[in-house]
Amino acid sequence: MKTFYLETFGCQMNVVDSEQITALLQGIGYQPIATPDLADLVLLNTCSVRDKAERKVYGHLGRFKPIKDKRPELIIGVGGCVAQQEGQRMLDTVSYLDLVFGTHNIHRLPEMVQHVEQTRQRASETDFLDRETRLNLFPERTATESVTRFVTIMQGCDNFCSYCIVPHVRGREISRPSAEILGEIEGLVASGVKEVTLLGQNVNSYGGKTQGEISFAALLQAVDGIPGLERLRFATSHPKDITAELIDCFGTLPSLCPQIHLPVQSGSDRILSLMNRGYCAADYLDKVKKLKAVCPDIRLTTDIIVGFPGETEEDFQATLDLVEQVGYADAFTFLYSPRIETAAASMEDKTSARQKQQRFDRLLKLQQRISADIWEQDADSVLPVLVEGASKQGDGQLFGRTAWNRIVNFSGEQKLIGRIVPVNIVKVLRNSHLGELADDS
Ligand code: 5AD
Ligand code: SF4
């Protein structure tokens, strides 16, 4: 039996792509293995959203060199966003690399691997596909043991936020046909899945560019109507595409969890405009207010970039003010990282690295206080938890999530996996809760 070792970096899109890679490799007789040392094939599925993520790829590739020195028959490949961006260049710079496949070329992997096996010739495929071909290539995945699942509803992005490499490495936005999405979710629910997260770079523009396709809000309504589906989430949405119809869904759809990830990026109108985000702080705050009005217990999370080119102390203060006003349950904060091919990479930037780091630390401190206050509200209350499996702590405990997507670890029997049970939150930790099964379960 041949084996492969696959490491995945980056966002949930890459996680889904890796599931597809796994299925395709199993189709040609490869089985997954947990370490690279004995594998016949080693693959990295890479992320290029920030420079740090990109550098990691080269660091990790270096780990495989001694293995290849010992076993020259080992095949090493790179896929994902760095592969898309670098293509043949990666083969030129990394002498022990055999394969490079881009974000539109995953379906070609089995043939590429077999080609290397037979000929020992290195190969790179990073061409973008046309719309029609891509529409036929949305990953349909097989039955699963898991309770929760990501379902891809669109690929690519047309927004061209000025800092972002995604449109360059994932191509133009396309929406998967709604009938196919609903069919996949029905199949998942029949195999025991209780929660799905609809996935795309910008899910709330779903259908907008496809004639005859339903809107994102209508898709949510249809998914909510699937019998047996307990919970529905989606990621990521763009503030400019939050419609009144979508906001209403949070007040009307029983399965839609009271939680939304709504990246704001900055609280300064000047910076938002330079970022090409298509909204100002007041538009954003207005949508947040409407979301809270239809769903008072909704919790928001966000992404924020600190140190965008030309960001002044005043701009940064506007971000702090907005963060305080919204009261995010969590925020993913990033130091701006220039990316090739993007518009922001050529913008003038006079702020020192030290100043940026200081701003980053101030934001982090503020957000940690706000997050702690919000999550502390859960202490001593009984919350419905969808039990997903054995806790990662490895101490025989179970873990699940609240409707707000917070991980809860607690003791209970395996038979609870897949059920929603009431759990009393006894301790609030920084990234998770500790709970006890409530008496009435
Ligand atoms: N530098 C820093 N952060 C970035 N992000 C995207 N591009 C960059 C960049 N060049 C962040 C954004 C986005 C998240 C996924 O990554 O906040 O929402
Ligand atoms: Fe990048 Fe903007 Fe598209 Fe998100 S919406 S993937 S930040 S270009």
Side-chain angles (χ1 to χ4, degrees):
M1 189 183 66
K2 290 179 288 188
T3 57
F4 72 96
Y5 170 78
L6 169 62
E7 230 175 290
T8 308
F9 300 90
C11 67
Q12 290 150 340
M13 301 300 277
N14 270 11
V15 173
V16 171
D17 285 348
S18 282
E19 288 176 1
Q20 192 191 7
I21 290 170
T22 299
L24 288 168
L25 291 175
Q26 284 172 330
I28 55 165
Y30 279 85
Q31 291 310 316
I33 185 172
T35 59
D37 307 285
L38 298 172
D40 299 293
L41 169 66
V42 166
L43 292 177
L44 295 184
N45 190 5
T46 63
C47 170
S48 60
V49 77
R50 283 169 294 275
D51 180 51
K52 200 167 150 197
E54 194 177 320
R55 271 188 320 222
K56 254 193 213 168
V57 174
Y58 287 95
H60 277 245
L61 270 176
R63 277 169 43 218
F64 305 136
K65 184 166 186 303
I67 309 178
K68 180 120 177 169
D69 284 343
K70 263 191 259 158
R71 290 191 295 118
E73 68 280 10
L74 170 67
I75 300 173
I76 303 180
V78 175
C81 296
V82 178
Q84 183 62 47
Q85 191 185 302
E86 295 296 305
Q88 178 67 35
R89 265 202 307 270
M90 277 194 106
L91 287 184
D92 298 341
T93 47
V94 185
S95 60
Y96 48 92
L97 188 60
D98 299 290
L99 280 177
V100 176
F101 57 102
T103 54
H104 287 194
N105 312 89
I106 293 172
H107 65 291
R108 293 275 308 136
L109 190 59
E111 254 184 71
M112 291 179 78
V113 169
Q114 285 169 332
H115 183 75
V116 179
E117 280 174 349
Q118 285 154 16
T119 66
R120 288 288 136 190
Q121 274 171 6
R122 309 162 84 206
S124 163
E125 288 193 27
T126 54
D127 287 343
F128 275 159
L129 301 177
D130 62 49
R131 226 183 122 74
E132 281 313 305
T133 318
R134 281 175 79 207
L135 273 174
N136 291 320
L137 289 171
F138 272 95
E140 176 95 34
R141 282 148 314 137
T142 43
T144 163
E145 299 275 285
S146 49
V147 174
T148 63
R149 207 82 208 258
F150 295 128
V151 173
T152 311
I153 66 163
M154 47 206 304
Q155 291 185 4
C157 181
D158 286 350
N159 284 321
F160 289 93
C161 300
S162 64
Y163 51 81
C164 186
I165 197 149
V166 167
H168 305 272
V169 290
R170 290 212 166 246
R172 296 290 61 74
E173 172 186 310
I174 61 162
S175 295
R176 184 180 183 192
S178 50
E180 202 181 298
I181 296 169
L182 294 169
E184 180 176 0
I185 298 174
E186 278 160 3
L188 291 173
V189 172
S191 73
V193 168
K194 297 289 193 293
E195 171 184 311
V196 295
T197 302
L198 307 183
L199 211 60
Q201 304 296 345
N202 180 16
V203 286
N204 50 338
S205 70
Y206 177 83
K209 291 166 188 161
T210 315
Q211 234 191 349
E213 190 49 278
I214 59 176
S215 68
F216 182 57
L219 180 68
L220 287 180
Q221 284 156 12
V223 176
D224 176 72
I226 294 175
L229 182 73
E230 306 269 2
R231 284 181 174 178
L232 172 58
R233 308 181 197 271
F234 56 84
T236 290
S237 33
H238 194 304
K240 76 174 165 52
D241 299 315
I242 297 277
T243 60
E245 197 192 4
L246 173 56
I247 291 173
D248 279 348
C249 289
F250 282 95
T252 53
L253 303 183
S255 68
L256 187 60
C257 291
Q259 164 252 316
I260 185 167
H261 184 63
L262 199 56
V264 69
Q265 312 299 358
S266 169
S268 152
D269 290 347
R270 200 178 68 82
I271 296 295
L272 286 169
S273 165
L274 288 171
M275 286 177 164
N276 191 29
R277 289 290 287 174
Y279 56 86
C280 62
D283 297 336
Y284 184 93
L285 289 168
D286 180 56
K287 288 182 178 175
V288 170
K289 197 167 134 200
K290 288 177 173 150
L291 282 163
K292 287 182 176 172
V294 296
C295 181
D297 60 352
I298 197 165
R299 288 187 186 171
L300 289 101
T301 53
T302 201
D303 293 342
I304 296 171
I305 296 177
V306 175
F308 185 83
E311 182 190 74
T312 62
E313 176 59 29
E314 197 184 347
D315 293 318
F316 178 65
Q317 190 58 51
T319 300
L320 294 180
D321 292 346
L322 183 138
V323 163
E324 189 95 58
Q325 230 176 311
V326 174
Y328 293 108
D330 273 313
F332 301 92
T333 51
F334 309 103
L335 275 172
Y336 169 72
S337 164
R339 307 281 64 209
I340 54 160
E341 291 185 67
T342 62
S346 53
M347 291 181 191
E348 197 185 12
D349 184 9
K350 287 188 179 147
T351 320
S352 70
R354 197 168 141 261
Q355 227 170 353
K356 290 182 184 182
Q357 187 62 49
Q358 281 173 352
R359 285 182 193 159
F360 184 88
D361 295 342
R362 281 161 67 197
L363 174 61
L364 195 66
K365 207 164 149 212
L366 170 66
Q367 184 54 47
Q368 281 174 348
R369 172 176 62 70
I370 296 171
S371 291
D373 285 351
I374 291 179
W375 295 115
E376 195 56 47
Q377 292 167 16
D378 294 348
D380 300 323
S381 56
V382 175
L383 299 176
V385 169
L386 173 58
V387 189
E388 291 186 34
S391 161
K392 302 216 164 59
Q393 325 275 354
D395 49 6
Q397 295 223 327
L398 296 175
F399 88 100
R401 282 170 206 266
T402 66
W404 292 308
N405 216 9
R406 180 77 161 180
I407 288 186
V408 184
N409 291 297
F410 64 101
S411 293
E413 293 175 49
Q414 296 276 320
K415 68 174 187 207
L416 296 181
I417 294 171
R419 280 177 48 192
I420 294 183
V421 296
V423 177
N424 186 21
I425 307 304
V426 292
K427 194 160 186 201
V428 175
L429 305 174
R430 186 174 270 196
N431 294 312
S432 62
H433 289 338
L434 278 183
E436 277 169 3
L437 215 46
D439 287 342
D440 56 344
S441 64

